[in-house]
Amino acid sequence: MFMKSLEYDRYGEESLRKVLKIKTKLRQAMGNFLRNNGFLEISPVIISPETDPLYHATGKAEFDYYDGKYQLTRSMILHKQIALLTSDKIFTYSPNVRLEPVELADTGKHLVEFTQLDLEVKDATREDIIDLGERLLIHTLKEVKKDCKEELDYFKRDLRIPEAPFQRIKYHHAYNQYGRIFEEVLSQEKEDPFWLIDIPSEEREFYDREDPSRPGILRDMDLIYPEGFGEALSGGEREHELDRIKQRITQQELDLTNFKNYLEFAEKGLPPSAGFGIGLERLARYVCGLEEIKDTLLFPKIPGKIRL
Ligand code: AMP
Ligand code: MG
């Protein structure tokens, strides 16, 4: 009984070995694509006094350290913008900890600990980053198809290679057509990944840049997987001017003092940029065609549960 609760047998399963092979390939293909395109890889930040506030309810993972507090990284967005002071194109495989509520335990796509391939490019526009994302995904899927045939066969997965440019759908258009559940409906309906663009500012965090010519609409995007697999990545252009950043933080009723260090950098000057973060486990789930994201890693942390 004790052994069963530990899921000891799970670790001997062939499927887990096959997923790991595919994830190893995904990391390699994406990393090499970016290195070959002039990106420098930075180390992940695990703890920081300031991190992504996120726009949905997520518990705070923090601990005391001397006279202050550290938080576990929810995303490296703030650090990515600062990293561009050192190099024009950066990426990292960033472990994120998000204390997701138990209500998300059965979505099949939420973990409490996961990894993002997170990248940012100085002076880039949304257009540049959409193009980069399409090339990165197509390259990666082709590489997996070439080198992991046995594994894809094991999962009975006939992986389609999408063609650029991917379809773009405006948030308001999708919302008006299908209501709140538009993402699920569209994801189920499509055969290839597509972009969701022009998300309203109240739906997203302060750092996504508002379109100067369309107040309330962001110059951002999500990539949505087809076949019901849902969101793959989020990204966009960034707010980089101090006044704009402060205004957006205040509009979202957040406390400016929670971003004190970041704001000091913004005061000195942050470059304009755009970028995105793509979840590695969600990509692996899509590539393998798995029901459950927990089957993409050895030590899954499911919302609402404590596990090794
Ligand atoms: P976000 O900035 O919140 O859009 O997160 C970036 C990407 O990370 C998402 O598009 C997903 O691929 C992935 N992601 C976000 N939250 C989770 C989670 N709780 N579990 C697994 N992957 C996630
Ligand atoms: Mg997102």
Side-chain angles (χ1 to χ4, degrees):
M1 200 174 95
F2 190 51
M3 293 298 254
K4 192 159 174 277
S5 72
L6 285 176
E7 297 189 359
Y8 186 88
D9 291 343
R10 176 175 184 267
Y11 291 88
E13 281 174 11
E14 191 56 24
S15 60
L16 214 41
R17 243 187 318 275
K18 300 269 195 248
V19 173
L20 285 188
K21 172 83 195 295
I22 287 183
K23 268 174 77 186
T24 302
K25 185 73 214 170
L26 291 173
R27 278 180 184 260
Q28 184 194 34
M30 292 196 289
N32 284 345
F33 176 90
L34 294 173
R35 286 178 204 106
N36 292 336
N37 279 277
F39 281 75
L40 295 188
E41 183 167 5
I42 66 169
S43 298
V45 170
I46 313 281
I47 57 173
S48 171
E50 294 162 24
T51 190
D52 192 333
L54 298 176
Y55 62 94
H56 66 284
T58 315
K60 214 171 195 185
E62 67 177 8
F63 58 90
D64 295 327
Y65 189 69
Y66 286 92
D67 56 352
K69 284 185 193 298
Y70 268 128
Q71 297 185 57
L72 301 185
T73 292
R74 288 167 168 170
S75 95
M76 270 178 60
I77 179 61
L78 309 179
H79 298 82
K80 284 199 303 178
Q81 283 184 276
I82 295 165
L84 294 180
L85 297 171
T86 307
S87 174
D88 291 357
K89 294 169 153 192
I90 55 101
F91 80 99
T92 181
Y93 282 110
S94 163
N96 288 187
V97 173
R98 299 185 182 180
L99 304 185
E100 306 281 15
V102 67
E103 293 73 46
L104 299 180
D106 298 324
T107 62
K109 55 184 184 185
H110 286 92
L111 294 163
V112 175
E113 177 187 60
F114 63 95
T115 300
Q116 278 194 57
L117 170 68
D118 215 352
L119 60 84
E120 197 72 17
V121 180
K122 187 174 163 180
D123 295 326
T125 62
R126 177 172 71 178
E127 210 56 44
D128 299 330
I129 294 300
I130 283 183
D131 176 65
L132 177 78
E134 291 177 354
R135 289 189 293 118
L136 174 69
L137 189 68
I138 291 170
H139 168 81
T140 303
L141 296 178
K142 279 186 178 162
E143 286 289 295
V144 174
K145 230 178 148 156
K146 177 165 69 72
D147 292 345
C148 299
K149 197 176 170 325
E150 188 192 318
E151 288 72 25
L152 292 173
D153 286 349
Y154 176 89
F155 291 114
K156 300 188 172 46
R157 188 71 170 141
D158 183 15
L159 199 58
R160 281 169 65 90
I161 307 293
E163 277 180 24
F166 301 172
Q167 188 186 2
R168 295 182 191 191
I169 300 177
K170 292 200 162 129
Y171 180 99
H172 278 299
H173 190 82
Y175 191 96
N176 290 343
Q177 203 167 2
Y178 300 108
R180 274 254 150 238
I181 55 158
F182 68 85
E183 186 186 305
E184 280 155 73
V185 179
L186 286 167
S187 175
Q188 288 287 353
E189 201 173 84
K190 302 287 176 194
E191 288 198 310
D192 283 316
F194 64 93
W195 297 105
L196 182 73
I197 60 166
D198 291 357
I199 297 154
S201 51
E202 69 269 17
E203 295 283 324
R204 289 293 148 100
E205 296 82 0
F206 70 82
Y207 48 76
D208 280 354
R209 179 168 173 250
E210 204 166 32
D211 190 331
S213 60
R214 290 182 301 168
I217 304 289
L218 301 175
R219 292 193 49 83
D220 68 345
M221 74 284 179
D222 280 0
L223 183 74
I224 313 293
Y225 291 125
E227 302 168 69
F229 286 97
E231 181 187 318
L233 69 77
S234 291
E237 293 174 17
R238 313 303 184 187
E239 297 288 2
H240 63 98
E241 290 160 335
L242 181 67
D243 290 351
R244 292 287 309 141
I245 295 174
K246 279 176 147 174
Q247 198 184 341
R248 297 284 309 283
I249 292 178
T250 314
Q251 265 170 9
Q252 302 210 335
E253 294 173 11
L254 295 170
D255 194 342
L256 287 168
T257 57
N258 290 341
F259 304 96
K260 190 168 122 325
N261 295 275
Y262 169 72
L263 289 170
E264 277 176 24
F265 276 93
E267 197 171 348
K268 289 256 183 202
L270 289 171
S273 70
F276 63 69
I278 178 164
L280 187 64
E281 295 80 5
R282 289 204 187 167
L283 176 58
R285 174 179 175 243
Y286 169 64
V287 166
C288 299
L290 298 171
E291 275 298 300
E292 302 279 351
I293 198 165
K294 71 174 168 54
D295 295 329
T296 66
L297 71 182
L298 289 184
F299 304 105
K301 306 297 185 297
I302 298 154
K305 291 210 166 67
I306 305 275
R307 283 179 65 156
L308 196 65

